[in-house]
Amino acid sequence: MNCCTQLAVGLGALLICGCADQPTELHRQRIYAMGTWVDLSIRAADATDAQSLFGEIEVVLSAFEKDYYAWVPGQLAELNDAIHAGEPALVTSPLAALIVEAQRLSALSEGFFEPGLGALVELWGFHSSVQNPQLPPSADEISAHLDAGTKIASLRIDGQRIESSSRGLMLDLGGIAKGAAVDTIISLLLERGIEHALVNAGGDLRVIGRSGGRQDERRWQVGIQHPREIGLLGIVELQSGEAAFTSGDYERFYDRNGTRLHHIIDPQTGYPVTHTQAVTVIATNGVTADAAATALFVAGPGRWRHVARLLDIDYVLRVDASGELELTAPMRDRLRPADGVDSDIISPPDEDGAD
Ligand code: AMP
Ligand code: MG
């Protein structure tokens, strides 16, 4: 029984479920971080509290940009340097915990999610957020990188001490870091007493509470981007705590002789995946949703349902290379046509984040 049903039962239930909502205003802020706009929508009683929270979140996001991205000086770059030198490195406990989780999800996904392939991502030129059209690497270069070692499984992690037997390994947390950042922001908001919020990192998002700000008001409605058109594939309503993440071939790509070369790499072949345009998943946290979207994108036809079961993901929408939609039954029940339904996601032209 949820709070709403309890409300119908009587005042006693209202007190027991502790949902004595105080009036709140929706406050919005837009911060550019991790190569995308991060749109924050939070319900707070006080505008000054909201502004100070936005300041704290900006600091969190800057730390993620520096320490969880392999190609700028920071913790992850230092770890990769140590691996290259064949030495152990000490990292902070949140980064160690994320790497442990990345290793676990990689194994669980049968290696389709593989954060050890940073050197291949760099070889293809997809480490830079600046569009960087260039000649694709040669087959020899790709197999040399595969041979040098691209598996996060080779890491030995002892608390905050990490080392690898594979000196060619380069960690790239690009497939999971946004999920970790969104989860960290949601935890911070909960610690500060915020009950209703949407944290949207360029369409990868997580919510708490409801958009209306009261237990009896509507839930957050979020749109799923069409991979080839400006517009939405549909809208889903999210329960408090849920995350919806999408991996798409439209995020970072260049075209070469009619083939789209993009940033999601098949760890078996070393080449960008060609069978999928986009995968959206809903999960109970950002880290799982982010890793799962990437894993299912790579797993492709015939295997994505199996990998979804391994990762315990019920809600999946896949768009294949020809634009056909495939959905799990629970996702089919939740996805509604976009027409006429308000999405709580701020549309891109709304640069200032104003209401
Ligand atoms: P996402 O948009 O979450 O699917 O993440 C894509 C990013 O993850 C890429 O830009 C790469 O940095 C990295 N990546 C590419 N292929 C993989 C893969 N198979 N497994 C894990 N991370 C990957
Ligand atoms: Mg991902």
Side-chain angles (χ1 to χ4, degrees), residues 112-114 117 121 172 174-175 247 251 263-265 267 290 294 298:
F112 290 113
F113 173 68
E114 178 48 86
L117 45 57
V121 171
D172 168 13
S247 289
E251 287 169 5
H263 66 143
I264 305 176
I265 310 282
D290 197 354
T294 308
V298 182

Side-chain angles (χ1 to χ4, degrees), residues 207-247:
V207 304
I208 46 172
R210 295 173 181 244
S211 72
R214 287 161 47 106
Q215 302 302 341
D216 55 350
E217 292 205 40
R218 77 168 200 171
R219 295 187 187 279
W220 294 102
Q221 318 283 318
V222 301
I224 298 175
Q225 173 68 44
H226 193 295
R228 291 291 181 271
E229 291 167 18
I230 297 170
L232 301 177
L233 278 175
I235 301 256
V236 285
E237 186 175 275
L238 294 184
Q239 306 281 331
S240 184
E242 281 186 328
F245 273 63
T246 299
S247 289

Side-chain angles (χ1 to χ4, degrees), residues 22-27 42-47 49-50 53 194 196:
Q22 62 179 116
T24 53
E25 294 276 321
L26 189 61
H27 301 273
I42 69 170
R43 286 208 158 263
D46 186 307
D49 290 351
L53 271 167
I194 300 296
H196 309 278

Side-chain angles (χ1 to χ4, degrees), residues 135-157:
L135 282 179
S138 70
D140 285 350
E141 285 175 296
I142 291 167
S143 52
H145 275 73
L146 288 172
D147 293 346
T150 55
K151 303 230 178 303
I152 194 173
S154 74
L155 289 183
R156 285 189 302 278
I157 308 166

Side-chain angles (χ1 to χ4, degrees), residues 18-179:
C19 50
D21 300 307
Q22 62 179 116
T24 53
E25 294 276 321
L26 189 61
H27 301 273
R28 285 178 161 168
Q29 179 72 286
R30 170 166 267 211
I31 300 168
Y32 193 80
M34 304 176 84
T36 192
W37 284 106
V38 180
D39 290 306
L40 306 165
S41 310
I42 69 170
R43 286 208 158 263
D46 186 307
T48 320
D49 290 351
Q51 285 312 316
S52 99
L53 271 167
F54 293 144
E56 279 189 77
I57 291 168
E58 205 159 349
V59 172
V60 167
L61 286 168
S62 309
F64 266 91
E65 282 191 320
K66 182 170 87 61
D67 288 325
Y68 290 64
Y69 179 59
W71 290 276
V72 292
Q75 270 200 76
L76 186 57
E78 281 170 26
L79 172 59
N80 280 330
D81 286 348
I83 291 170
H84 190 62
E87 290 165 3
L90 278 181
V91 300
T92 59
S93 59
L95 179 55
L98 182 62
I99 292 173
V100 167
E101 185 61 359
Q103 200 182 42
R104 188 184 76 84
L105 291 165
S106 179
L108 208 56
S109 74
E110 297 186 339
F112 290 113
F113 173 68
E114 178 48 86
L117 45 57
L120 274 167
V121 171
E122 184 173 327
L123 182 69
W124 280 96
F126 293 118
H127 56 303
S128 165
S129 54
V130 180
Q131 286 299 325
N132 182 22
Q134 58 178 33
L135 282 179
S138 70
D140 285 350
E141 285 175 296
I142 291 167
S143 52
H145 275 73
L146 288 172
D147 293 346
T150 55
K151 303 230 178 303
I152 194 173
S154 74
L155 289 183
R156 285 189 302 278
I157 308 166
D158 179 10
Q160 292 168 243
R161 186 179 186 277
I162 302 183
E163 63 188 324
S164 170
S165 50
S166 169
R167 290 174 70 154
L169 178 77
M170 180 180 187
L171 288 177
D172 168 13
L173 298 177
I176 196 171
K178 232 195 250 181

